[in-house]
């Protein structure tokens, strides 16, 4: 389990490090690293399951293809197209964001999983997954750029996916395929919306969407 433990640490820390900077390309790279760790965990679990691990190999391959290759490529193309590679402003400062991120991790490891979810299997892997969901949610809230909010959504989805793997050992293949398809379509839709926001307001700061209120 040392391999899984190491990958879980990489998975979790990549989410925390996203809170430490304003560079959108760096956060895309961290998202790719997180997804690579998730893919590696799927491959490792599939290997340990032997003949029953075929679907985990498929999940690992799809994660590698969609979240490590295709999605970062789409996001990088989007960043270069709209010429916005840094957060202009943050809802929460960098240092408070890191402290809140550490607090969320501590809450997951010391209270949420051991106390509220003690009957569920998964142990530390479930704690890492829940922490990542919370980090992704906070990242999405604390950033105002549409691209960063999309990154936050994918981080949350990575955490939810790891939750399912930790608790059940893997969801039915048809559900996993549906999730991957939803993520890919969602990224494309958000990309189109980002172009629209940029074209309408000449900025990607989502606070200007308040101007659309009647």
């Amino acid at each position: 389990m040392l391999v899984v433990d190491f990958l879980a640490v990489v998975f979790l820390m990549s989410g925390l490090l996203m809170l430490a900077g304003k560079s959108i390309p760096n956060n895309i790279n961290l998202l790719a690293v997180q997804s690579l760790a998730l893919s590696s965990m799927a491959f490792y679990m599939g290997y340990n399951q032997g003949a029953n691990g075929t679907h985990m190999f498929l999940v690992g391959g799809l994660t590698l293809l969609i979240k490590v290759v295709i999605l970062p490529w789409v996001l990088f193309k989007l960043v270069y197209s709209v010429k916005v590679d840094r957060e202009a402003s943050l809802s929460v400062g960098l240092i408070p964001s890191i402290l809140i991120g550490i607090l969320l991790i501590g809450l997951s490891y010391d209270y949420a999983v051991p106390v509220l979810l003690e009957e569920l299997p998964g142990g530390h892997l479930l704690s890492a997954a829940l922490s990542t969901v919370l980090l992704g949610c906070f990242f999405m809230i604390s950033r105002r750029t549409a691209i960063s909010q999309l990154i936050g959504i994918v981080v949350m989805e990575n955490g939810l996916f790891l939750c399912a793997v930790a608790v059940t050992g893997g969801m039915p293949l048809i559900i996993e395929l549906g999730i991957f398809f939803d993520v890919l379509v969602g990224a494309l839709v958000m990309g189109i919306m980002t172009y629209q926001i940029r074209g309408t307001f000449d900025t990607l700061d989502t606070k200007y969407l308040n101007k659309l209120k009647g």
Side-chain angles (χ1 to χ4, degrees):
M1 293 297 291
L2 289 177
V3 175
V4 175
D5 291 342
F6 171 75
L7 292 173
V9 170
V10 173
F11 181 84
L12 180 58
M13 291 306 298
S14 58
L16 180 61
L17 289 174
M18 289 182 190
L19 299 173
K22 293 184 177 182
S23 173
I24 296 176
N26 283 348
N27 286 335
I28 296 174
N29 287 328
L30 287 170
L31 177 64
V33 170
Q34 183 183 77
S35 299
L36 180 60
L38 182 61
S39 173
S40 300
M41 279 188 273
F43 281 129
Y44 185 78
M45 291 177 182
Y47 175 78
N48 285 339
Q49 291 174 8
N52 297 323
T54 304
H55 80 287
M56 291 302 293
F57 279 109
L58 181 57
V59 168
L62 287 172
T63 302
L64 186 65
L65 176 63
I66 295 176
K67 293 185 179 180
V68 181
V69 178
I70 296 178
L71 187 57
W73 178 79
V74 170
L75 292 175
F76 274 120
K77 290 282 288 184
L78 190 58
V79 167
Y80 295 139
S81 296
V82 299
K83 296 181 174 61
V84 175
D85 61 355
R86 292 185 67 82
E87 289 284 343
S89 61
L90 301 174
S91 300
V92 182
L94 292 180
I95 294 178
S97 292
I98 296 172
L99 294 177
I100 292 173
I102 294 173
L103 180 63
L104 292 174
I105 293 173
L107 181 66
S108 298
Y109 272 86
D110 292 336
Y111 180 71
V113 172
V115 178
L116 300 180
L117 304 175
E118 60 179 340
E119 296 182 358
L120 294 179
H124 68 282
L125 205 58
L126 180 59
S127 298
L130 181 58
S131 298
T132 302
V133 173
L134 296 176
L135 289 175
C137 182
F138 176 69
F139 182 84
M140 186 173 61
I141 293 171
S142 64
R143 264 53 179 178
R144 291 178 174 174
T145 303
I147 300 175
S148 293
Q149 293 184 357
L150 173 58
I151 293 173
I153 291 173
V154 179
V155 170
M156 289 178 62
E157 195 278 329
N158 279 346
L160 290 171
F161 189 83
L162 184 58
C163 276
V165 171
V167 173
T168 67
M171 296 176 289
L173 182 59
I174 188 65
I175 296 178
E176 292 168 345
L177 291 175
I179 291 173
F180 284 121
F181 181 75
D182 286 345
V183 170
L184 188 57
V185 171
L188 295 175
V189 170
M190 283 293 291
I192 295 172
M193 290 179 61
T194 299
Y195 275 112
Q196 294 295 325
I197 294 172
R198 177 71 171 182
T200 302
F201 300 106
D202 196 31
T203 180
L204 290 182
D205 194 331
T206 54
K207 70 179 181 181
Y208 290 100
L209 292 178
N210 290 328
K211 293 182 178 180
L212 297 177
K213 293 181 179 179

